[in-house]
């Protein structure tokens, strides 16, 4: 009532949170600007709040100075320093191995080692990880010091070396994001191998696809996933996917009853190989900055997921975004319910540990009162969410009675948010700000976000991320003038620190640069989202411009869903899967448009068909996906080349009932 009353007649983008000068000056960026604002911005510098936008422009126009400064602020160490921060590529050369420019040429480093090293942000007795298992809610939270955490990572790295894999081999992780999976993740990178990230919700076929694309030589997994009273099989899915050699970890206790395949090994036996190395430091494998550290997957529109490699520079982008935009620093406790199969999993590891903060992990459902209590007991200071989680919290009111006053801010990503639900969320923590954060797996972080130094409007972004330039393409395919309101497909300047410059199973140029316009001599980079810039300078996301949709924070291609739905019922001729934003805002809902073989047949039960679609999708694709509605049509709109015009369907479904 107060919010809508105060802003009655205000127009677009009313601020729900306004920065306080005294607090702003204590942020990472505020302190940097107080020390060096005049050096960077000259006479334009006034104060951290007034000059934040000038600093963002400075980060784009002076990338060498900005990124050297931020890497120094985060105490990033190199075994071989870079020859320079940025080596330019010729203008317009999008076919180059380094579109826009080459970052940190000649540098050698290991991002995992940087997570474990001691510096002015981290001592041996600081807390690296805080966690709790679901069901242990009455027990104190578990804490692991940096000293203990380093010893665990070193031991697993020693054990990985006993597998005898060639340097640079790919090793998959398919398990919940818990202490063990984070230790394994860092140990793989520390030992010079490449993590293959696979979400623990995937069906066997999806697991198999990712293992084959990445050519993984081994996989770490669990026997079961424990969620409340349920035990969800995981190792059996790994076997069905015909995985390579697996190291299997018991979900509870130290053993399990199931029989392992020949060649697979239990966690206990795996660590037993190197028990004599306990407490022995592992000799870090230092690698060139271009060396791969992680292979993640993002669905394309072809049905096969794009294999996106992260280099040693990508973790630095993730941590830098957290340092600047979410103000993560020593003493913070960072929680974000996610999985290592999605980019936010690795992002959380680096965003917290490279900034000297503690990572908070809840091994269970984030939709429970147990998670709410964990946030209270762990004294979480930055809580990341996706809007569908917030909707579930508000609906069940499972957070009632818990003290979230330690939270300094919320982060939100993955899908469109809703004003009323986010007002409710702010109220759980004395109306702390929500920093909207949007990026991509191929970027390693965000291209657009919010800031502690700007007024934050709900369901809106207030600034391009540091070092990023955004362009909204008009109807002619070229950028509309800067700072002019408008809506269109978003394009990015190719010069982005840490962004991918290749794909393992697709042509990087064709995916991101083909047929994109030139701007000041550079070919712009395709992103694929539709964005709106408002008259007050905020940005709103309007979903995907291509045939990929966003369901519950997970990008998935229409083709993948349609392939499954087409085979569900003999009456179905063809389908089109469309992500439709609800009229009140919030995450996209999945609508299946159906054309029946017999157009005169009106006896098909659409609700039963919806249930059948759900069952098939959850079994073959992802158990988190849900069809909200089935809409029958006599035919699908198509282009002259016979391609389904899903955008037309999406527009009609959005405007109609």
């Amino acid at each position: 009532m107060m919010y809508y009353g105060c802003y009655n007649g205000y127009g677009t983008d009313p601020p729900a949170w306004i920065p306080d000068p005294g607090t702003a000056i204590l942020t990472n960026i505020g302190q940097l600007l107080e020390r060096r604002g005049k050096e960077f911005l000259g006479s334009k510098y006034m104060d951290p709040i007034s000059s934040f936008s000038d600093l963002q422009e400075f980060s784009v126009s002076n990338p060498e100075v900005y990124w050297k400064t931020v890497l120094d602020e985060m105490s990033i160490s190199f075994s071989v320093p870079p020859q320079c921060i940025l080596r330019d590529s010729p203008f317009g050369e999008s076919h180059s191995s380094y579109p826009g420019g080459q970052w940190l040429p000649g540098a050698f480093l290991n991002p995992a080692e940087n997570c474990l090293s001691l510096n002015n942000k981290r001592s041996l007795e600081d807390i690296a990880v805080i966690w709790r298992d679901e069901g242990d809610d009455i027990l104190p939270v578990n804490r692991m010091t940096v000293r203990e955490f380093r010893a665990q990572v070193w031991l697993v790295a020693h054990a990985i070396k006993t597998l005898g894999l060639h340097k640079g081999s790919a090793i998959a992780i398919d398990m919940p994001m818990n202490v063990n999976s984070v230790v394994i993740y860092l140990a793989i990178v520390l030992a010079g191998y490449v993590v293959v990230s696979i979400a623990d919700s995937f069906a066997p076929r999806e697991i198999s696809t990712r293992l084959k694309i990445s050519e993984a030589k081994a996989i770490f997994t669990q026997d079961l996933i424990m969620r409340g009273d349920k035990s969800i099989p995981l190792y059996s899915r790994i076997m069905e996917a015909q995985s390579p050699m697996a190291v299997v970890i018991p979900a509870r206790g130290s053993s399990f009853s199931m029989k392992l395949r020949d060649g697979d090994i239990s966690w206990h036996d795996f660590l037993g190989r190197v028990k004599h190395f306990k407490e022995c430091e592992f000799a870090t494998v230092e690698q060139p900055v271009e060396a791969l550290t992680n292979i993640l997957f993002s669905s394309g529109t072809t049905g096969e997921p794009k294999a996106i490699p992260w280099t040693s520079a990508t973790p630095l982008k993730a941590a830098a975004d957290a340092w600047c935009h979410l103000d993560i620093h020593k003493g913070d406790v960072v929680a974000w319910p996610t999985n290592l199969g999605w980019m936010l999993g690795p992002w959380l590891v680096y965003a917290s540990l490279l900034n000297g903060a503690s990572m908070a992990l809840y091994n269970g459902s984030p939709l429970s009162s147990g998670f709410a209590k964990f946030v209270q007991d762990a004294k979480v200071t930055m809580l990341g969410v996706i809007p569908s989680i917030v909707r579930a919290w508000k609906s069940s009111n499972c957070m009632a009675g818990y003290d979230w006053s330690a939270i300094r801010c919320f982060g939100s990503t993955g899908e469109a948010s809703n004003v009323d639900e986010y007002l409710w969320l702010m109220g759980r923590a004395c109306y702390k700000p929500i920093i909207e954060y949007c990026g991509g797996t191929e970027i390693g972080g965000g291209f657009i976000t919010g800031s502690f130094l700007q007024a934050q409007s709900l369901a809106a972004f207030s600034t391009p991320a540091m070092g990023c330039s955004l362009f909204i393409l008009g109807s002619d395919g070229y950028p509309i003038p800067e700072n002019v309101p408008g809506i269109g497909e978003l394009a990015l300047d190719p010069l982005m620190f840490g962004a991918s410059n290749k794909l393992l199973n697709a042509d990087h140029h064709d995916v991101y640069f083909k047929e994109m316009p030139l701007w000041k001599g550079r070919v712009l980079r395709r992103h694929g989202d539709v964005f709106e810039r408002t008259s007050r300078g905020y940005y709103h996301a309007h979903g995907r411009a291509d045939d990929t949709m966003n369901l519950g924070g997970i990008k998935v291609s229409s083709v993948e869903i349609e392939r499954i739905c087409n085979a569900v019922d003999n009456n179905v001729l063809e389908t089109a899967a469309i992500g439709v934003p609800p009229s009140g805002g919030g995450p996209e809902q999945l609508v299946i448009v159906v054309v029946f073989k017999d157009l005169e047949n009106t006896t098909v039960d659409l609700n039963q068909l919806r249930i059948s679609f759900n069952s098939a999708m959850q079994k073959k694709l992802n158990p988190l996906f849900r069809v909200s509605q089935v809409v029958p049509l006599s035919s699908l709109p198509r282009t002259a080349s016979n391609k389904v015009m899903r955008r037309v369907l999406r527009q009609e479904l959005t405007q109609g009932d």
Side-chain angles (χ1 to χ4, degrees), residues 10 51 87 100 122 124 126 155 184 336 396 416 442 452 462 468 563 593 606 615 642:
Y10 182 88
S51 301
R87 180 183 290 152
R122 188 183 302 110
L124 286 173
D126 287 339
L155 185 66
I184 292 164
W336 205 318
S396 68
E442 71 281 5
F452 270 80
S462 61
C468 295
R563 186 178 62 238
V593 178
L606 295 181
S615 177
N642 208 37

Side-chain angles (χ1 to χ4, degrees), residues 8 146 180 201-202 224 294 331 333 422-423 447 493 520 606 623:
N8 183 32
V146 170
N180 283 332
S201 60
F202 277 139
L224 305 166
N294 200 170
V333 178
Y422 272 34
L423 277 172
F447 58 82
D493 190 301
K520 296 183 178 178
L606 295 181

Side-chain angles (χ1 to χ4, degrees), residues 83-316:
Q83 296 159 8
C84 57
I85 296 296
L86 176 65
R87 180 183 290 152
D88 281 336
S89 289
F91 276 172
E93 199 174 308
S94 61
H95 280 281
S96 162
S97 298
Y98 306 103
Q102 182 182 4
W103 295 98
L104 309 178
F108 277 67
L109 78 157
N110 188 303
E113 182 188 34
N114 272 273
C115 287
L116 305 176
S117 60
L118 305 180
N119 52 43
N120 62 343
K121 295 185 175 185
R122 188 183 302 110
S123 70
L124 286 173
E125 302 313 316
D126 287 339
I127 301 299
V129 188
I130 302 171
W131 79 97
R132 176 183 280 160
D133 291 333
E134 189 173 32
D136 293 344
D137 303 329
I138 62 172
L139 300 177
V141 294
N142 303 283
R143 300 176 189 273
M144 187 179 287
T145 64
V146 170
R147 184 194 304 275
E148 296 164 333
F149 187 65
R150 280 158 45 114
Q152 288 288 317
V153 174
W154 291 340
L155 185 66
V156 174
H158 282 299
I160 290 172
K161 293 293 283 186
T162 69
L163 299 177
L165 303 177
H166 293 298
K167 180 181 176 182
S169 293
I171 302 174
I173 301 175
D174 187 350
M175 54 190 296
M177 190 163 181
N178 53 32
V179 177
N180 283 332
S181 61
V182 171
V183 165
I184 292 164
Y185 182 96
L186 290 173
I188 292 172
V189 177
L190 195 71
Y193 300 108
V194 182
V195 176
V196 179
S197 293
I198 301 178
D200 63 355
S201 60
F202 277 139
R205 186 176 67 180
E206 298 299 311
I207 298 170
S208 177
T209 298
R210 285 153 177 78
L211 291 173
K212 288 174 182 174
I213 292 172
S214 64
E215 299 180 359
K217 306 303 182 192
I219 185 169
F220 286 86
T221 190
Q222 280 186 187
D223 56 345
L224 305 166
I225 301 172
M226 311 300 294
R227 288 292 178 266
D229 297 331
K230 294 181 180 178
S231 297
I232 304 166
L234 183 56
Y235 177 59
S236 60
R237 276 190 261 151
I238 300 300
M239 289 194 293
E240 190 177 337
Q242 298 182 321
S243 80
M245 189 276 291
V247 179
V248 187
I249 303 165
R252 289 284 192 269
S254 58
S255 62
F256 40 80
S257 57
M258 65 180 59
K259 179 175 170 54
L260 301 184
R261 295 179 306 182
D262 291 343
D264 290 349
I265 182 172
S266 72
W267 182 241
H268 178 268
D269 291 343
F270 176 70
L271 295 182
R273 295 176 171 188
V274 291
K275 56 188 175 186
H276 52 291
F277 279 117
K278 202 168 185 182
E279 307 292 335
C280 290
E281 183 171 354
F282 182 84
T284 303
V285 177
E286 301 286 354
Q287 300 198 85
V289 71
E290 299 91 354
L292 305 191
T293 58
N294 200 170
I295 298 169
L296 296 111
F297 296 88
S298 177
S299 293
T301 56
T302 62
E304 183 176 75
K306 289 181 295 185
I308 300 171
W310 280 17
T311 67
S312 295
T314 317
L316 309 184

Side-chain angles (χ1 to χ4, degrees), residues 390-651:
V390 178
R391 179 170 298 108
W393 287 344
K394 185 172 185 288
S395 174
S396 68
N397 201 29
C398 63
M399 332 319 284
Y402 294 108
D403 180 3
W404 283 13
S405 59
I407 291 175
R408 293 197 300 117
C409 80
F410 297 94
S412 176
T413 193
E415 56 197 37
S417 51
N418 175 282
V419 172
D420 289 351
E421 289 163 2
Y422 272 34
L423 277 172
W424 176 88
L425 178 65
M426 290 176 70
R428 301 315 96 195
C430 309
Y431 290 91
K432 297 304 194 312
I434 297 172
I435 305 297
E436 297 273 3
Y437 182 62
C438 181
T441 306
E442 71 281 5
I443 295 170
F447 58 82
I448 191 166
T449 181
S451 171
F452 270 80
L453 281 75
Q454 293 177 305
Q456 295 304 296
S457 179
L458 294 170
F461 305 89
S462 61
T463 179
M466 287 292 173
C468 295
S469 291
L470 313 180
F471 303 89
I472 293 176
L473 304 183
S475 56
D476 60 357
Y478 286 88
I480 63 176
E482 191 176 0
N483 298 325
V484 171
I487 185 170
E489 184 172 344
L490 187 84
L492 304 169
D493 190 301
L495 195 61
M496 287 186 296
F497 185 93
S500 66
N501 51 44
K502 68 177 177 180
L503 296 169
L504 300 187
N505 60 341
D507 186 295
H508 192 271
H509 172 268
D510 286 353
V511 171
Y512 295 111
F513 294 99
K514 188 177 181 179
E515 299 177 353
M516 290 297 286
L518 276 170
W519 183 257
K520 296 183 178 178
R522 278 203 186 103
V523 180
L524 296 183
R525 179 172 175 140
R526 179 181 292 108
H527 184 72
D529 283 350
V530 174
F531 264 76
E532 176 187 7
R533 186 164 54 222
T534 71
S535 58
R536 295 187 191 274
Y538 289 87
Y539 295 83
H540 293 268
H542 290 281
R544 299 295 294 173
D546 57 18
D547 290 332
T548 303
M549 68 189 76
N550 188 321
L551 300 177
I554 300 170
K555 283 200 295 188
V556 61
S557 75
S558 297
V559 174
E560 286 182 278
I561 295 173
E562 291 159 7
R563 186 178 62 238
I564 291 168
C565 292
N566 288 342
V568 163
D569 192 303
N570 287 331
N571 291 309
V572 172
L573 175 65
E574 61 179 342
T575 60
I578 313 296
V580 180
S583 58
E588 290 183 343
Q589 295 178 345
L590 175 58
V591 175
I592 304 296
V593 178
V594 179
V595 177
F596 293 111
K597 293 176 182 177
D598 181 4
L599 298 180
E600 305 300 322
N601 185 357
T602 59
T603 62
V604 177
D605 185 333
L606 295 181
N607 187 55
Q608 183 56 50
L609 188 59
R610 181 182 64 83
I611 293 170
S612 299
F613 285 159
N614 276 333
S615 177
M617 269 200 313
Q618 290 159 20
K619 182 179 179 182
K620 297 179 180 180
L621 192 59
N622 194 307
L624 303 179
F625 292 168
R626 300 281 188 280
V627 177
S628 66
Q629 191 177 4
V630 175
V631 176
L633 284 183
S634 59
S635 63
L636 300 179
R638 296 182 181 274
T639 64
S641 59
N642 208 37
K643 291 181 180 178
V644 176
M645 293 190 289
R646 296 182 184 85
R647 287 194 212 186
V648 173
L649 287 171
R650 186 175 191 271
Q651 184 176 7

